[in-house]
Amino acid sequence: MNIIEIEHLKKYYGEIKAVDDISFRVTEGEFFAFLGVNGAGKSTTISILCGKETRDAGSVSVGGLNVDTQLDAIKRRLGVVFQDSVLDSALSVRDNLRYRAALYGITGKAFAKRLDELTELFGLKELLRRPVGKLSGGQRRKADIARALLHEPDILVLDEPTTGLDPQTRKTTWDIIHSLRRNRNMTVFLTTHYMEEAADADNVVILDGGKILADATPLELKNRYAGDYITLYGADEEQVKLLALPYEQIAGAFRLGVKNTAEATELVVKFPQIFTDYEIVKGKMDDVFLAVTGKKGESV
């Protein structure tokens, strides 16, 4: 079942075509990644999806609901973590969450129960009394995501959720998100310019200049746009030259590029004396992004 359907969406700002006739679908329970460098049109699309921006053309529906006539119902199905924090820096984490919960009718014992659940999930116990303005970037991001999940939405929209976070906090954040998705069949809609955050997505759309340039699974994209790599250990350079492939020397090994796994297998069969210790890996999403857009994304 498609939980998000966008058809021929357009949003222009004068001469700037922020979103230029894009169409895509997201299925229920899917981890969907929307990739592009800053200015590609990702955040504009999110803003239209959430009702923060109007569109110039096209249609948007969420769970079969029309964004024009059923926006309030759509908002109850969405939890959104915007690129910039929307928490009130002067208020404590607890008060931020309490006021947000009240908008969904979650008060009293119901709020206390939900707060306890989120506190345990995100490790917020020591942060609840602190003003948001006193939190680190990672702590604030946890509170942002907790805020988005207060009303147990069907769809979690993450707009550049881990920008500026250290690797450990980023990993912890993703562990929580993936756990929620598995346990609740929650749909996750991610926009990011960290290419490898999308490596585990069910489907990836690559956007540039407001247009969709690619729409497929990560594996399909890697097979189409990025070759495989062989890392060869224990061989000398003269042996590597026999393979007649471009190569580079790395610490204790040689790295060779091949078109696909089939080509790598042919080499292994033809030169078994060389391939005594090796590994074959797919190209990275960075390679895909560069091939599709001609621009370099950021690795995790």
Side-chain angles (χ1 to χ4, degrees):
M1 171 185 172
N2 293 327
I3 198 164
I4 297 174
E5 296 186 352
I6 291 181
E7 296 285 346
H8 301 293
L9 184 64
K10 296 180 181 180
K11 180 65 178 180
Y12 300 161
Y13 300 98
E15 298 295 317
I16 300 173
K17 296 181 178 181
V19 178
D20 192 14
D21 194 13
I22 68 172
S23 301
F24 62 88
R25 291 170 173 78
V26 181
T27 60
E28 187 175 11
E30 181 178 7
F31 174 22
F32 177 88
F34 208 39
L35 302 186
V37 297
N38 290 334
K42 307 185 307 296
S43 294
T44 301
T45 302
I46 291 292
S47 294
I48 293 170
L49 179 67
C50 300
K52 288 185 67 179
E53 292 251 17
T54 59
R55 65 192 185 282
D56 294 325
S59 63
V60 177
S61 69
V62 177
L65 303 173
N66 188 291
V67 74
D68 293 323
T69 58
Q70 298 167 294
L71 184 57
D72 286 342
I74 286 175
K75 286 182 177 179
R76 290 187 173 273
R77 300 197 67 176
L78 294 174
V80 186
V81 180
F82 292 103
Q83 189 169 348
D84 297 316
S85 178
V86 293
L87 298 170
D88 189 324
S89 60
L91 297 179
S92 69
V93 171
R94 180 188 176 88
D95 284 343
N96 266 281
L97 297 179
R98 181 161 61 89
Y99 293 142
R100 181 63 179 177
L103 295 177
Y104 294 98
I106 305 170
T107 59
K109 292 181 178 179
F111 170 68
K113 180 176 181 292
R114 187 62 178 144
L115 182 63
D116 285 345
E117 293 170 350
L118 293 170
T119 296
E120 182 176 354
L121 187 64
F122 288 95
L124 299 177
K125 186 176 180 179
E126 303 301 321
L127 306 180
L128 290 177
R129 296 177 181 272
R130 290 192 203 173
V132 167
K134 300 293 185 181
L135 301 182
S136 69
Q139 291 169 337
R140 182 178 296 208
R141 217 53 179 149
K142 286 183 180 180
D144 274 319
I145 299 173
R147 173 189 178 276
L149 293 169
L150 275 166
H151 60 298
E152 300 185 75
D154 299 318
I155 306 163
L156 179 62
V157 180
L158 302 166
D159 190 10
E160 309 279 3
T162 59
T163 298
L165 299 188
D166 63 85
Q168 182 58 48
T169 303
R170 189 180 297 158
K171 181 182 183 304
T172 301
T173 300
W174 275 112
D175 286 346
I176 293 169
I177 291 168
H178 287 311
S179 175
L180 286 168
R181 179 172 164 258
R182 287 192 303 270
N183 295 334
R184 296 191 59 246
N185 195 38
M186 184 175 64
T187 303
V188 174
F189 187 115
L190 168 72
T191 79
T192 184
H193 58 266
Y194 290 117
M195 296 301 111
E196 290 308 309
E197 286 193 336
D200 295 326
D202 296 302
N203 203 66
V204 174
V205 162
I206 297 178
L207 194 70
D208 191 41
K211 288 185 174 293
I212 291 176
L213 302 187
D215 182 353
T217 68
L219 179 58
E220 289 168 340
L221 291 172
K222 288 178 182 181
N223 285 338
R224 191 179 309 163
Y225 295 105
D228 292 358
Y229 294 97
I230 303 171
T231 303
L232 192 57
Y233 304 97
D236 60 46
E237 192 164 4
E238 291 306 312
Q239 288 177 307
V240 174
K241 289 179 179 178
L242 292 175
L243 302 177
L245 287 172
Y247 66 89
E248 61 177 328
Q249 189 166 5
I250 56 178
F254 293 91
R255 189 169 185 255
L256 304 91
V258 291
K259 293 178 182 177
N260 48 45
T261 306
E263 183 178 3
T265 303
E266 289 176 7
L267 288 170
V268 174
V269 172
K270 187 174 181 180
F271 299 97
Q273 72 280 9
I274 299 177
F275 288 88
T276 56
D277 189 4
Y278 67 94
E279 60 183 348
I280 303 171
V281 297
K282 292 286 182 188
K284 295 184 177 182
M285 289 302 296
D286 263 342
D287 300 322
V288 170
F289 191 78
L290 182 60
V292 172
T293 67
K295 301 172 182 176
K296 187 171 177 57
E298 293 187 37
S299 297
V300 173

